[in-house]
Amino acid sequence: MKKYNYLKLHPWEIIEEGFHANKVTSSESLFSIGNGYMGQRANFEESYSGETFRGSYIAGVYYPDRTKVGWWKIGYPDFFAKVLNSPNWIGIELNINNQDFDLNKCSRIEKFKRVLNLKEGFYLRSFEAVLKDKTRVFIESKRFLSMARKDIGMIRYKIKPINKKCSIKLKSYIDGDVANQDSNWDEQFWKHEGKETKDNFAALKSKTLKTSYKVCTFMHNELFLNNEIIREKPKIEIKKNKISHTFSYEVDSNKSLSIVKCGGYVSSIRHSSVNFNKTYELSKEALDLGFNFLLNEQKNEWKKIWENSDVLINGDVKAQQAIRYNIFQLNQTYTGEDERLNIGPKGFTGEKYGGGTYWDTEAFCFPFYLATKGSLAARNLLRYRYNHLEKAIENSQKLGFGNGAALYPMVTMNGEECHNEWEITFEEIHRNGAIAYAIFYYENFTNDKSYIPKYGLEVLIGISRFWKQRLSFSEEKNKYVLLGITGPNEYENNVNNNWYTNYIAKWCLNYSVVQVQNVREKYMTDYKRIKKKTGLSEIEIKKWKEIYQNIYMPYDSKKQVYLQQEGFLDKELKFVDEIPMNERPINQNWSWDKILRSPYIKQADVLQGFYFFEDDFTREELRRNFEFYEPFTVHESSLSACVHSILASRLYKKQKAYQFFLNASRLDLDDYNKEVMEGLHITSMGGAWMAISKGFGGMKISNGVFSFNPKLPPKWTSLSFKVNFDGSILTVMINKKETTFELTGDRPINLISSGKKITVQPKKHIT
Ligand code: BGC
């Protein structure tokens, strides 16, 4: 694959040097910042006439955009939920010696640099520009969204004339006239309901149409000459939904004029009342504390995050930079504190996928949050689905299922399905399995047995009821079958007996039976409550058993591999390396018809099952299936490379595992799929972390016991990563010769290291 890397390597920073006009939208994605409650693309503060994609988003604030397609089919979703592009509060128009500043129109741009500081959580941009009249200025902007104060962000925007005195105008504004990149019916998403401006403060009150989220966007500005505050009253302008404060100042050469802007959103997602006073107080307090104070606070917040999640790789700065970037972006997207929020495939960095929740969360992100943030964050992610159980039951009712059967949506904001492609909405039902799997993973990882009787069992019952009804009995095969399926490989639709889906359905039914028994034996009060609520019966449980023991699993005894679906071997089985390079990626070059008939696999499908259910198969079975399917896989989903990396590690294919890891972790940094301008692939970043811990670290949990079986890539001299066991942090340090464990807290942990049972005592190293 061709790489388009224009970024520098650094262990803790993402650096762009030199102005790349053709990469502005890519950099806007790559340098995005966020704090779990809001996030924004790295747009320039000043106006820019070149290509740009402006975006600023608030977690959970969405609009149900009425669907244009398929609504005539019964059961089709009514809307597609979209996280909304929200009022812009970062804008600062700049005028120097009567010339509007625009990076697209400068005579020269020199020493242009962007830095995303991963360690301390800020974004910096600086450059020297020569204007048409030869005025030379230095400009630097530093920006962050506060991790400590979730409603606010800070900008310090500095201009320093270099060769002459300048008359500078800084027009700082908030602007409600924003729109998403697309809307199905050109509907308005926002209604603006009021404006206020007082001293150096301004705010705009808005409400989302249909969903009625209230948002007050604000800004509060302060001006400094060198480091001295200037108590300057701005000129105020109010135009439609834009409020601007303009400051004018004469600045001698080599003196600097800075504007410190505190801005952000107070929204009904976080506050019971959304009013101007609150935004005024919040921003005033921030300005009184000062930019440097808040930046320090930010550094401390990030220090805490890194203490619990850093991955250290020696001998490979490319890999080091990538994994830290992935961890950084995951933390910017979701902090684990709020059970109403989740992780969209693009986080706050773009609008594709609408910002909704996919199976990506459970299958690719859940292990990361559990191991680096602890069980509370993971429980919040599980609770998100528990809270959507009623809707999942309604979703399946819309398709004709009943008796409390739950089909979780392929994509959602509020629990309702809103995926707009029938072959996915109705057929990609394996997502239900990933949701059950996360419950199992949590229970196995944490040993917290209370989640299942309290919440988890109800979800498992709903899911199993769905499988029971969705599986049908084939007289011919004398087995239960799943017809009309799309597996994880979306380059096949409407197939029969997709092995992965059949396998996870079987596993779910089995796991539910075990958990019903467990709750009945140990948590009688909960059992009675659940039985009453769900009407669960013995006959039903017996039926689940009968079904899971008799589900058809397509298998080819000659090749000794599981079949992705019935009929897979009828395809012209040509390997991916026979596709001409200029026809890749195939989803950008081939008709859908051609893709569907081809043997090419978008992402791990059979192999996804081998990844989840490692203990159910021998290494030899894994090898055969890996070697059969991998040559047909085009990895055109960002979620593919990480699973392949983990499996290649399990097979000791170290070089392959390493290459897949780079593909997963540097997918955006190196823009492998030539689409980074649309936003980052946040959910696959969770997969990159799994490739480190489960792949190279060989971490596995079986029946609540952790084991590590490391396989270091040849290039690396050492690797270390952290796992949070309810507040005690286990650091696993691997080098070419040995593995060392270190534990915080006060409880020892028993584990298996390269086949040997050991006990790790708190505050002691064990090698
Ligand atoms: C993948 C899905 C995934 C979705 C969102 C698709 O391209 O095939 O598995 O859930 O993207 O990341």
Side-chain angles (χ1 to χ4, degrees), residues 10 20 24 34 85 187 225 377 413 434 537 579:
H10 187 286
H20 300 88
V24 169
N85 202 347
E187 284 174 28
L225 185 64
M413 275 289 183
S537 72
I579 308 173

Side-chain angles (χ1 to χ4, degrees), residues 648 652-661 696 713-715:
Y652 293 88
K653 296 176 185 282
K654 290 189 181 182
Q655 201 44 45
K656 250 194 168 115
Y658 174 69
Q659 195 48 53
F660 279 127
F661 168 72
F696 305 127
K715 202 170 168 189

Side-chain angles (χ1 to χ4, degrees), residues 116 132 138 187 368 380 393 443 532 568 572:
L116 187 62
K132 294 263 148 51
F138 167 76
E187 284 174 28
F368 167 80
N380 279 337
I393 292 173
E443 188 226 355
K532 194 162 165 221
F568 184 79
E572 268 183 37

Side-chain angles (χ1 to χ4, degrees), residues 345 353 358-360 410 428 488 490 602-603 637 639 683:
Y353 301 112
Y358 284 70
W359 73 301
D360 303 30
M410 187 64 192
E428 205 174 331
E490 292 175 346
K602 182 181 182 190
Q603 67 201 87
S637 159
L639 304 172
T683 46

Side-chain angles (χ1 to χ4, degrees), residues 219 231 276 284 337 368 433 477 484 511 585 659 676 702 710:
M219 69 167 179
R231 306 258 171 225
F276 291 124
K284 174 87 174 61
E337 291 155 21
F368 167 80
K477 290 191 167 71
Y511 184 59
Q659 195 48 53
V676 73
S702 302

Side-chain angles (χ1 to χ4, degrees), residues 13-266:
E13 292 177 354
I14 308 301
I15 305 165
E16 174 184 352
E17 272 174 3
F19 182 61
H20 300 88
N22 60 341
K23 294 281 183 200
V24 169
T25 48
S26 300
S27 290
E28 285 175 340
S29 299
L30 286 160
F31 291 81
S32 290
I33 52 175
N35 67 3
Y37 274 91
M38 59 175 162
Q40 48 179 243
R41 291 172 56 79
N43 304 123
F44 300 144
E45 285 86 359
E46 65 277 358
S47 306
Y48 183 64
S49 58
E51 201 190 333
T52 170
F53 162 19
R54 290 195 162 262
S56 179
Y57 309 92
I58 307 167
V61 174
Y62 75 95
Y63 181 83
D65 200 14
R66 203 156 42 90
T67 179
K68 249 187 167 164
V69 289
W71 49 265
W72 53 88
K73 295 191 174 105
I74 293 177
Y76 210 85
D78 297 329
F79 66 88
F80 183 71
K82 285 187 173 142
V83 69
L84 292 187
N85 202 347
S86 302
N88 167 8
W89 62 263
I90 66 157
I92 303 172
E93 284 167 22
L94 174 63
N95 180 290
I96 302 171
N97 292 339
N98 290 321
Q99 300 155 93
D100 287 334
F101 185 85
D102 176 349
L103 267 171
N104 199 34
K105 293 185 179 156
C106 292
S107 297
R108 267 212 315 271
I109 303 166
E110 289 171 8
K111 301 181 195 160
F112 183 92
K113 190 167 181 179
R114 298 190 199 235
V115 177
L116 187 62
N117 188 312
L118 311 176
K119 193 173 194 173
E120 302 183 343
F122 65 85
Y123 163 55
L124 179 85
R125 180 173 59 110
S126 62
F127 53 90
E128 276 186 27
V130 180
L131 309 189
K132 294 263 148 51
D133 71 346
K134 302 211 165 51
T135 305
R136 180 182 275 268
V137 288
F138 167 76
I139 295 180
E140 181 192 89
S141 121
K142 205 177 222 184
R143 188 156 101 203
F144 60 91
L145 300 186
S146 174
M147 276 284 181
R149 299 158 197 262
K150 301 286 187 200
D151 308 300
I152 67 164
M154 298 293 291
I155 305 173
R156 186 170 61 203
Y157 191 86
K158 190 195 278 183
I159 308 117
K160 191 164 154 191
I162 293 181
N163 59 350
K164 53 168 109 151
K165 186 174 178 166
C166 288
S167 117
I168 296 177
K169 277 195 198 126
L170 283 162
K171 188 179 197 174
S172 176
Y173 65 88
I174 47 180
D175 183 9
D177 285 325
V178 289
N180 277 58
Q181 278 193 310
D182 62 88
S183 113
N184 285 340
W185 302 89
D186 289 330
E187 284 174 28
Q188 288 292 312
F189 296 158
W190 289 101
K191 182 164 183 260
H192 301 294
E193 300 191 314
K195 303 176 194 82
E196 172 147 329
T197 161
K198 174 174 149 193
D199 310 328
N200 292 354
F201 164 87
L204 172 73
K205 237 194 219 172
S206 323
K207 199 162 129 186
T208 58
L209 289 158
K210 291 192 186 167
T211 40
S212 298
Y213 291 107
K214 290 185 187 144
V215 172
C216 191
T217 310
F218 61 92
M219 69 167 179
H220 213 142
N221 301 298
E222 267 178 355
L223 205 64
F224 294 83
L225 185 64
N226 289 338
N227 290 323
E228 293 295 313
I229 191 159
I230 314 169
R231 306 258 171 225
E232 175 90 3
K233 281 228 154 27
K235 184 177 148 234
I236 297 170
E237 249 178 295
I238 302 183
K239 265 194 206 157
K240 267 183 79 193
N241 300 310
K242 182 170 176 181
I243 314 171
S244 49
H245 286 185
T246 305
F247 301 89
S248 305
Y249 221 78
E250 299 281 320
V251 186
D252 287 332
S253 60
N254 289 318
K255 294 231 156 127
S256 65
L257 183 73
S258 314
I259 184 165
V260 170
K261 180 172 188 175
C262 171
Y265 310 106
V266 164

